[in-house]
Amino acid sequence: MKKALVVYANGSEDIEVTAITDVLSRGKIAVTKAAITSEGCTVSLAHGTTVVCDKNIADCKDKYDVIAVPGGMPGSTNCRDCDLLISMLKKQKQEKRLIAAICAAPGFVLAHHGIIVDEKATGYPGCVDNIKNCTNKDVEVSDDHLIITAKGPAFAIAFALAILKELQGEECMQQVASGMLLDD
């Protein structure tokens, strides 16, 4: 079974983490919700939702097929400032495993730390100034299919489906989308 690490920081965008976790779980991906906190597993999301994650980021030692970083403020800056997460993302890229980021995270986390350099990427308007090859697409999949980015909350489900497609293929992605009535 493929594995996903979805990071949850204080101030992460509620709908983004929820959409990623839900869609990947529907697609038979083993999702680990990781708290980006100094200790413990509880985070408070940007719009007040409290989440008890599966693990603290410090306890996430597995190899993951994807690491997904939500946006939201100050969630993106909390992710940007988490040395352990940045180390994991750099290793993920070095080992040519999928990285996904949405909203403020492509610019504030990935571009800020040189995880995306020449790859095409998109993100939340006003948060993409340091993305060299910024596109205006709602969801952008890099040419090498190793980086997926999206603009923001309105595109959270499409973003999650793009991740699922990369991990489980078109048929699985279509089945999940259909089950969610996205093709009606």
Side-chain angles (χ1 to χ4, degrees):
M1 181 177 259
K2 294 194 177 173
K3 295 190 258 183
L5 183 69
V6 181
V7 298
Y8 285 64
N10 286 314
S12 289
E13 178 60 49
D14 305 49
I15 198 168
E16 293 169 0
V17 290
T18 302
I20 297 163
T21 299
D22 181 79
V23 168
L24 295 182
S25 295
R26 288 172 189 252
K28 307 287 190 267
I29 304 289
V31 176
T32 299
K33 297 182 299 245
I36 304 294
T37 58
S38 58
E39 60 183 45
C41 294
T42 302
V43 297
S44 180
L45 302 179
H47 301 284
T49 304
T50 299
V51 176
V52 178
C53 294
D54 303 314
K55 295 181 177 184
N56 184 282
I57 190 71
D59 299 320
C60 296
K61 308 291 186 196
D62 292 342
K63 283 192 174 186
Y64 297 94
D65 296 288
V66 64
I67 297 175
V69 185
M73 294 303 284
S76 291
T77 55
N78 288 332
C79 288
R80 177 198 68 203
D81 297 340
C82 178
D83 293 337
L84 180 55
L85 173 61
I86 300 312
S87 175
M88 292 171 76
L89 289 166
K90 287 181 176 182
K91 185 175 182 183
Q92 188 85 352
K93 182 175 183 178
Q94 180 184 23
E95 294 178 358
K96 298 189 183 308
R97 287 181 276 126
L98 187 61
I99 296 169
I102 185 171
C103 195
F108 287 6
V109 180
L110 301 186
H112 179 84
H113 286 286
I115 296 162
I116 54 173
V117 179
D118 293 322
E119 296 90 349
K120 291 179 186 173
T122 191
Y124 196 84
C127 300
V128 294
D129 293 345
N130 58 347
I131 296 176
K132 181 179 174 184
N133 287 320
C134 188
T135 71
N136 196 34
K137 288 186 176 178
D138 300 338
V139 177
E140 179 69 64
V141 179
S142 65
D143 292 338
D144 61 5
H145 293 260
L146 294 175
I147 306 279
I148 300 174
T149 54
K151 281 186 177 179
F155 308 103
I157 292 175
F159 171 69
L161 287 168
I163 298 168
L164 183 60
K165 180 179 176 182
E166 289 301 319
L167 295 178
Q168 298 284 63
E170 176 80 25
E171 184 178 339
C172 178
M173 186 271 298
Q174 289 295 340
Q175 288 174 346
V176 169
S178 178
M180 296 174 70
L181 305 179
L182 291 173
D183 58 355
D184 283 354

